[in-house]
Amino acid sequence: MKASSHEEFREFVAMRSTALLRLAVLLTGGDRHGAEDLLQIALMKAYGRWAQIEQPEAYIRQVMYRQQVNRWRLRRHSAETTVPVVPESGGEAGSESDSELRIALWAALGRLTKRQRAVVVLRYFEDLPEAEVAALLRCPVGTVRSTAHRSLAKLRALVPELGPEGRAKEQMQPLSYTSKGIQG
C-alpha cells in the first residue's frame, strides 16, 4: 500500500471509527467485545483493498453486516450469554426516565432474535430501504417486512413506552416512534 493510501486509511479510521463501533455494538446486541472484533475484521478487509474502494464507509458497513450474519449462521447455539451494555452518549445527560427508557430498549433489543435485531438495526437505525436490507441479509423483501413488523410488535410489548401512547415519542433519540415504527 502506498504511503498516501495508508495515511488516507488512518484518517478515515480516526474520523469514523466511533460511529462504526456504535453500529457494531447494535449489530452484536450490545456485546462490546464482539463489536470491537467485528469492526476490526471489517477494517482489516478494507485495508487490503483500500485503493480500490470508492465508498469506504459503505464498504465497511456492508462487510460488518455480512460478517455478523455469518457469525449468526455459524453460532446457532452459543454457550456464552452476553449482557447488553448501554454505550456512553456523546450528548448531554438526559433525564432519569430517559435513561431508564434507553436501558429498557437495549434490554428489549437483546431479547429479539438475531435476525429480528439485524432487521431493526438496518431498517430503522441505519434507515436502509427494505430492498437493501433484504440484499444485505440475503432474504426476500417480504421476509424483511414481516420480520420488521413482528420485531416492532415484540419491542412494543417488551417496552410499552415505545407505543403510540408512550413517552418515547418525545424523549427517544436517536431512536423514536413514528407511525412506521421505531426510526432513527
Side-chain angles (χ1 to χ4, degrees), residues 50-159:
W50 191 253
Q52 295 92 24
I53 299 173
E54 291 180 24
Q55 297 178 342
E57 186 159 351
Y59 178 85
I60 290 171
R61 286 173 183 262
Q62 187 171 40
V63 169
M64 286 194 318
Y65 302 146
R66 290 190 175 156
Q67 183 68 29
Q68 188 62 23
V69 168
N70 289 340
R71 283 181 174 185
W72 294 333
R73 288 181 181 150
L74 292 174
R75 280 190 296 172
R76 293 276 184 200
H77 302 287
S78 175
E80 182 179 352
T81 303
T82 59
V83 179
V85 177
V86 179
E88 296 178 20
S89 65
E92 298 177 10
S95 67
E96 186 174 320
S97 60
D98 186 37
S99 298
E100 291 171 1
L101 184 59
R102 287 176 182 270
I103 291 169
L105 180 58
W106 274 95
L109 281 171
R111 293 186 59 191
L112 295 177
T113 67
K114 294 171 183 175
R115 179 178 289 265
Q116 287 175 328
R117 187 169 49 246
V119 168
V120 168
V121 169
L122 295 174
R123 183 73 181 98
Y124 302 108
F125 181 80
E126 287 294 307
D127 200 28
L128 296 178
E130 292 170 339
E132 196 171 335
V133 173
L136 287 169
L137 297 179
R138 297 185 177 131
C139 66
V141 174
T143 301
V144 171
R145 286 182 186 142
S146 63
T147 302
H149 178 75
R150 284 192 303 274
S151 302
L152 293 176
K154 187 171 182 179
L155 282 174
R156 288 184 196 114
L158 293 170
V159 186

